[in-house]
Amino acid sequence: ASVEASGEIALCKTGFPEDVYSAVLSKDVHEGQPLLNVKFSNCNGKRKVQYESSEPADFKVDEDGMVYAVRSFPLSSEHAKFLIYAQDKETQEKWQVAVKLSLKPTLTEESAKESHEIEEIVFPRQSTKHSGYLQRQKRDWVIPPINLPENSRGPFPQELVRIRSDRDKNLSLRYSVTGPGADQPPTGIFIINPISGQLSVTKPLDRELIARFHLRAHAVDINGNQVENPIDIVINVIDMNDNRPEFLHQVWNGTVPEGSKPGTYVMTVTAIDADDPNALNGMLRYRILSQAPSTPSPNMFTINNETGDIITVAAGLDREKVQQYTLIIQATDMEGNPTYGLSNTATAVITVTDVNDNPPEFTAMTFYGEVPENRVDVIVANLTVTDKDQPHTPAWNAVYRISGGDPTGRFAIQTDPNSNDGLVTVVKPIDFETNRMFVLTVAAENQVPLAKGIQHPPQSTATVSVTVIDVNENPYFAPNPKIIRQEEGLHAGTMLTTFTAQDPDRYMQQNIRYTKLSDPANWLKIDPVNGQITTIAVLDRESPNVKNNIYNATFLASDNGIPPMSGTGTLQIYLLDINDNAPQVLPQEAETCETPDPNSINITALDYDIDPNAGPFAFDLPLSPVTIKRNWTITRLNGDFAQLNLKIKFLEAGIYEVPIIITDSGNPPKSNISILRVKVCQCDSNGDCTDVDRIVGAGLGTGAIIAILLCIIILLILVLMFVVWMKRRDKERQAKQLLIDPEDDVRDNILKYDEEGGGEEDQDYDLSQLQQPDTVEPDAIKPVGIRRLDERPIHAEPQYPVRSAAPHPGDIGDFINEGLKAADNDPTAPPYDSLLVFDYEGSGSTAGSLSSLNSSSSGGEQDYDYLNDWGPRFKKLADMYGGGDD
């Protein structure tokens, strides 16, 4: 049989769990009689098994493994043993098991008596008719439940009761049972002999799985007709002590504060027993087997043997000495009977929690520190304490406070969360000239108060001696800012005030010098020694550097200490207004109609002065020219506004400049003739101008003039760039006439000619070969640093003589002479007749000197036949030199 793994530890064996199944039967076997149940172990639950009998004529096996008799026959030795096969429908794998049948022993008189003592359950009688009347039947029996112990060892099937009907004397009846355990899952646990009505159990029961079975017994005739009403049969499974107690957790964790009094609750441990809790088998009792460590007492805890509650029974829990206890707890059923009860153990870990039973203590009575003056957020001293309580708990965390020596609150103490140290920090500046030393009294205590009954003081005290270090401080102006009031218009050289600074370092002999730091209008200067401030320009209240009549200037005072320090001060000059600005007309441009009606021009005045040197204003027209008063009239509306109207009935359209005399209210008053440009235009019925152009004054505005000038400049630049481009293009065109194509450069190529011509008679010369060749490669595409020394340098292009493409032969000589002269004066012209420098290749060359070669003397000794293999370009040379003596 195959073996399949089930889980990680146990192995499941597929097949029949027993090698031989046995059944005890009476001599006569009836058709359809259930004999026994064979069980097949299907580990994966996916196999579909089909059963077969080795004697199919006598026995058959249902799908649930129940074996039935196919026919009625007397049991003999030939039927005593047969085989049952189980075959997997998919894999065709096959298993077999033997079935052994045995006859019941012959009943003796005593055994027959015992057999007759098996309880019979008789169907109650039904009511019958007598003389045409229905007689009342006695009340039905109440069938008591059948009690069956679990885990019975057999033999199986084990007879329980016999079910019988009174009608079996007259009729051939068949008995059956239904319900869970019979024909419902789990099937086959209970079987009944259909002839005798003997109810039997086929295997051991487990109360922890099913504690009670509820079956119904039926009696029918051979035709299947019901002859009795079904009766209920209850089978109780009697519990046996077959399960040990099991703790819900193998390790239990609990806590108890140190110093707890006896009787303090700690924790509860719980175990369960699968047996009947109402019987002794499921009644548990707890006890402590051991305690570790056993100090200060081996019995620090006890446990309620019924509830599992653990409590303290002794004093002396001290976390600083023992932080954890481990208890072994035992749970036993049978009410703790050590002889018959089953037991199990678990571990209880009890942690002793900390309480504040130890105050912090300073490690020294006096701590020392120092701090420079005027410094804040500086750690002056580090206060250390010790505390025996559990670190980083409220019972261990220290809280520091200053109890004396700091009346102005210049120091604070913060707690370092990691080390629990106290950090004395300066929170307000300290002046050395005022305080040179502080002696602080500090106290330390825990975040939570000490536990009750602790004899130690709740806090510890110490002193902190802080020395202040003198440093060079900044000079300071007082007051800062300094405000003075002066009238505007003061002339240069006027002394305004003295602005001096003070040095807070009274114990240092230092000098202070003054300089100007900020003076937006450059109106002031300061004496570097005494700080006297004098004007160097006229003060003007209307300056854009004056805001709200106040002019701000900043000065710097520096001492000569080590290191030198400086301070700044601001002088604010409140300028009083004088009547130094004449009013101006506003707006400066306006328009009106050719006739007085229907509109007029409203004007006002603009005066940069303020009251009382500004409005109200007086408006008037000048006497000259006379056309002004003849054409115009002005009317004052109020102190700030006036109205200008045409005086005549019609004025020709155009632009007119109207002078207006405006006088302010200053003392003395200030007048000014301001020009108002008025456009007189044709108007429609609504008084609106119908002219297209708007008034722009007597000429173009400043913005328009600037725009026009910019356009003219841009145009001139474009024209200039075009002229330069044209000149460069002409120069390049002239230069290209002297250049040749790189492929035709005679310096680097052998020119191929088909014919040498007719000598002097051939006057068709190609003068382009005499012109200046261009460089083979453009300079722009060559990498920097690899230019050859004999290449053409980059200079301005020289002017060479230009001739036509086909000149007269007589001019060739003159042309060559002119080109030679130009080339002599051109440092960039080829062939660059200068000393060429080549890289030194070293000494000891195996080749001879090229200066010893003489083509005229050695030409006859050379073999030039290889020139025929060099292609058409060397055909002429091959014909000239490679043809032998000819």
Side-chain angles (χ1 to χ4, degrees):
S2 61
V3 177
E4 299 181 5
S6 175
E8 298 180 357
I9 301 176
L11 293 177
C12 177
K13 181 179 180 181
T14 302
F16 294 101
E18 303 290 341
D19 294 333
V20 178
Y21 284 91
S22 299
V24 179
L25 304 175
S26 59
K27 182 176 182 180
D28 295 326
V29 178
H30 302 280
E31 179 183 354
Q33 178 181 347
L35 304 179
L36 76 161
N37 185 278
V38 293
K39 185 178 180 182
F40 183 83
S41 297
N42 192 354
C43 293
N44 54 20
K46 298 180 180 179
R47 296 179 181 272
K48 296 181 179 180
V49 180
Q50 180 179 4
Y51 297 97
E52 293 181 0
S53 172
S54 62
E55 298 181 10
D58 296 330
F59 306 99
K60 69 175 183 178
V61 185
D62 284 354
E63 293 182 356
D64 57 357
M66 180 62 69
V67 182
Y68 294 94
V70 177
R71 62 184 179 87
S72 299
F73 58 90
L75 185 62
S76 61
S77 58
E78 61 182 10
H79 301 108
K81 190 173 184 181
F82 62 95
L83 298 177
I84 294 178
Y85 304 100
Q87 186 174 6
D88 192 321
K89 295 181 180 181
E90 295 182 358
T91 63
Q92 302 301 319
E93 193 173 0
K94 200 170 186 180
W95 297 265
Q96 71 178 20
V97 67
V99 177
K100 184 178 180 181
L101 303 179
S102 58
L103 287 171
K104 288 184 178 180
T106 303
L107 294 177
T108 62
E109 183 177 349
E110 184 178 355
S111 62
K113 184 177 179 181
E114 292 178 358
S115 176
H116 286 296
E117 291 179 357
I118 295 178
E119 184 180 358
E120 286 188 356
I121 298 177
V122 182
F123 286 91
R125 294 179 181 178
Q126 296 182 349
S127 59
T128 59
K129 290 183 180 181
H130 182 72
S131 301
Y133 296 96
L134 185 65
Q135 290 184 350
R136 184 177 181 182
Q137 174 186 319
K138 292 183 178 180
R139 186 175 181 181
D140 291 348
W141 296 346
V142 177
I143 302 173
I146 301 172
N147 295 324
L148 183 63
E150 66 173 333
N151 303 322
S152 174
R153 296 184 179 181
F156 296 101
Q158 179 181 349
E159 294 180 353
L160 301 180
V161 294
R162 180 177 290 111
I163 299 173
R164 188 178 63 83
S165 173
D166 291 341
R167 297 190 178 187
D168 60 353
K169 298 177 181 179
N170 302 324
L171 298 175
S172 178
L173 302 181
R174 296 292 183 269
Y175 299 98
S176 64
V177 290
T178 60
D183 61 343
Q184 298 178 18
T187 60
I189 296 179
F190 299 97
I191 61 176
I192 189 171
N193 189 315
I195 304 301
S196 64
Q198 180 67 47
L199 180 65
S200 304
V201 61
T202 61
K203 62 180 181 180
L205 303 180
D206 189 354
R207 191 205 66 85
E208 286 70 42
L209 296 179
I210 301 177
R212 172 178 292 185
F213 293 90
H214 191 178
L215 306 178
R216 304 199 81 182
H218 306 270
V220 297
D221 58 16
I222 59 176
N223 295 323
N225 299 319
Q226 179 177 315
V227 297
E228 298 284 2
N229 290 330
I231 60 173
D232 294 333
I233 301 175
V234 177
I235 300 175
N236 292 329
V237 183
I238 305 303
D239 183 44
M240 305 295 288
N241 191 17
D242 57 345
N243 291 281
R244 290 181 178 274
E246 296 290 340
F247 283 92
L248 297 181
H249 305 286
Q250 193 59 37
V251 178
W252 297 78
N253 293 292
T255 59
V256 60
E258 63 175 332
S260 297
K261 296 180 179 180
T264 302
Y265 171 80
V266 180
M267 61 190 299
T268 299
V269 296
T270 304
I272 59 175
D273 196 317
D275 292 326
D276 189 357
N278 299 319
L280 292 177
N281 299 332
M283 295 181 179
L284 307 182
R285 295 296 182 263
Y286 302 92
R287 70 190 186 98
I288 298 175
L289 297 181
S290 64
Q291 168 192 309
S294 58
T295 57
S297 170
N299 297 313
M300 296 294 295
F301 305 92
T302 186
I303 188 170
N304 187 310
N305 64 348
E306 294 184 2
T307 63
D309 294 342
I310 299 176
I311 59 175
T312 60
V313 293
L317 291 174
D318 190 353
R319 190 204 64 85
E320 286 73 36
K321 296 180 180 178
V322 179
Q323 299 182 1
Q324 183 174 282
Y325 289 91
T326 301
L327 307 180
I328 304 300
I329 310 297
Q330 184 186 59
T332 307
D333 58 15
M334 298 295 290
E335 291 188 325
N337 190 314
T339 304
Y340 303 104
L342 302 177
S343 62
N344 212 337
T345 60
T347 302
V349 179
I350 301 176
T351 302
V352 181
T353 59
D354 187 39
V355 297
N356 192 14
D357 55 348
N358 294 281
E361 296 181 2
F362 283 103
T363 59
M365 295 301 298
T366 304
F367 297 89
Y368 299 93
E370 59 182 20
V371 59
E373 65 174 329
N374 300 321
R375 295 282 299 276
V376 295
D377 297 331
V378 177
I379 297 177
V380 177
N382 192 9
L383 311 181
T384 56
V385 295
T386 58
D387 195 318
K388 297 179 182 179
D389 291 321
Q390 185 175 358
H392 307 291
T393 61
W396 178 82
N397 296 333
V399 178
Y400 300 87
R401 60 184 179 87
I402 299 175
S403 58
D406 185 23
T408 57
R410 298 185 181 275
F411 298 91
I413 305 179
Q414 298 177 351
T415 303
D416 188 324
N418 296 322
S419 63
N420 211 28
D421 295 344
L423 308 179
V424 182
T425 309
V426 180
V427 295
K428 292 182 181 180
I430 302 174
D431 188 8
F432 174 82
E433 286 71 26
T434 304
N435 300 97
R436 298 188 182 186
M437 177 174 288
F438 291 86
V439 178
L440 309 177
T441 302
V442 296
E445 56 188 2
N446 293 124
Q447 289 181 347
V448 295
L450 286 176
K452 295 181 180 181
I454 304 301
Q455 303 300 324
H456 300 287
Q459 65 181 16
S460 177
T461 59
T463 59
V464 182
S465 177
V466 181
T467 303
V468 182
I469 303 174
D470 189 18
V471 296
N472 188 20
E473 301 177 74
N474 297 322
Y476 63 93
F477 288 88
N480 189 16
K482 183 177 183 179
I483 302 176
I484 62 174
R485 299 171 65 91
Q486 291 289 342
E487 285 189 350
E488 64 172 331
L490 289 179
H491 298 290
T494 303
M495 198 277 289
L496 297 180
T497 185
T498 299
F499 196 23
T500 58
Q502 301 178 11
D503 193 346
D505 298 311
R506 293 179 296 175
Y507 300 99
M508 298 182 182
Q509 300 298 327
Q510 299 177 147
N511 297 323
I512 298 178
R513 297 188 65 84
Y514 304 94
T515 56
K516 184 172 64 174
L517 191 62
S518 173
D519 183 11
N522 198 23
W523 288 344
L524 309 173
K525 69 175 181 179
I526 187 170
D527 188 282
V529 177
N530 56 25
Q532 193 175 75
I533 297 176
T534 309
T535 62
I536 58 176
V538 178
L539 305 183
D540 184 8
R541 191 198 66 84
E542 290 75 31
S543 170
N545 298 305
V546 178
K547 306 296 181 183
N548 299 323
N549 302 327
I550 295 177
Y551 179 75
N552 292 307
T554 305
F555 299 92
L556 181 70
S558 304
D559 61 20
N560 59 347
I562 300 175
M565 304 299 290
S566 61
T568 59
T570 300
L571 177 66
Q572 293 184 340
I573 305 175
Y574 187 90
L575 294 175
L576 304 175
D577 185 42
I578 63 175
N579 195 14
D580 57 345
N581 291 280
Q584 299 178 2
V585 67
L586 190 73
Q588 297 181 354
E589 298 175 352
E591 60 182 23
T592 187
C593 298
E594 294 177 331
T595 60
D597 294 327
N599 56 7
S600 58
I601 302 173
N602 293 327
I603 60 174
T604 185
L606 174 65
D607 195 331
Y608 292 104
D609 293 325
I610 58 176
D611 291 336
N613 298 319
F617 301 99
F619 300 89
D620 199 2
L621 297 175
L623 299 176
S624 177
V626 294
T627 56
I628 299 300
K629 282 202 169 186
R630 184 182 63 192
N631 297 337
W632 305 91
T633 179
I634 192 168
T635 304
R636 182 180 179 185
L637 300 178
N638 53 37
D640 294 327
F641 292 91
Q643 194 174 73
L644 181 67
N645 295 287
L646 280 175
K647 189 175 183 180
I648 59 179
K649 294 183 178 181
F650 177 82
L651 182 62
E652 185 179 358
I655 297 177
Y656 297 87
E657 293 186 354
V658 181
I660 299 175
I661 302 174
I662 306 176
T663 305
D664 60 20
S665 300
N667 187 18
K670 203 169 187 65
S671 299
N672 181 35
I673 299 177
S674 185
I675 303 299
L676 174 64
R677 293 185 178 89
V678 181
K679 177 183 178 182
V680 179
C681 59
Q682 297 178 359
C683 298
D684 54 16
S685 59
N686 297 324
D688 298 328
C689 283
T690 58
D691 296 349
V692 177
D693 55 332
R694 309 301 298 167
I695 183 168
V696 294
L700 293 174
T702 304
I705 295 175
I706 293 175
I708 293 174
L709 290 177
L710 289 175
C711 292
I712 294 174
I713 293 174
I714 292 173
L715 183 60
L716 290 176
I717 292 174
L718 292 176
V719 172
L720 181 60
M721 291 175 63
F722 179 75
V723 172
V724 172
W725 178 75
M726 291 296 294
K727 287 185 176 181
R728 287 179 61 87
R729 200 174 81 168
D730 291 342
K731 179 185 288 186
E732 293 176 357
R733 186 179 300 170
Q734 294 175 3
K736 286 181 179 180
Q737 292 180 1
L738 293 176
L739 299 178
I740 63 174
D741 189 75
E743 295 182 356
D744 298 330
D745 192 349
V746 296
R747 297 174 299 169
D748 298 324
N749 298 283
I750 299 177
L751 301 180
K752 175 185 176 183
Y753 298 92
D754 292 337
E755 294 181 355
E756 295 183 359
E760 295 179 356
E761 297 179 357
D762 189 358
Q763 303 297 329
D764 189 10
Y765 301 113
D766 184 8
L767 295 181
S768 64
Q769 303 298 329
L770 300 177
Q771 298 176 356
Q772 177 183 357
D774 195 2
T775 57
V776 177
E777 293 178 298
D779 293 335
I781 65 174
K782 286 194 175 184
V784 179
I786 63 171
R787 182 182 297 279
R788 288 167 41 192
L789 294 178
D790 61 337
E791 284 185 353
R792 175 186 177 189
I794 300 176
H795 293 286
E797 294 287 344
Q799 296 295 328
Y800 284 90
V802 179
R803 288 181 59 87
S804 60
H808 191 274
D811 296 336
I812 293 177
D814 296 335
F815 175 75
I816 292 176
N817 291 331
E818 292 175 3
L820 180 60
K821 181 182 292 184
D824 291 336
N825 296 326
D826 184 9
T828 67
Y832 316 110
D833 296 332
S834 61
L835 179 61
L836 301 181
V837 179
F838 298 92
D839 289 342
Y840 179 66
E841 295 182 357
S843 61
S845 176
T846 57
S849 175
L850 295 178
S851 61
S852 62
L853 296 178
N854 188 347
S855 61
S856 61
S857 60
S858 60
E861 301 175 359
Q862 298 293 328
D863 184 7
Y864 297 100
D865 292 338
Y866 58 86
L867 295 177
N868 294 315
D869 301 331
W870 286 14
R873 289 181 176 269
F874 296 91
K875 188 176 184 302
K876 285 290 185 181
L877 291 176
D879 293 342
M880 294 173 59
Y881 292 93
D885 296 338
D886 296 338

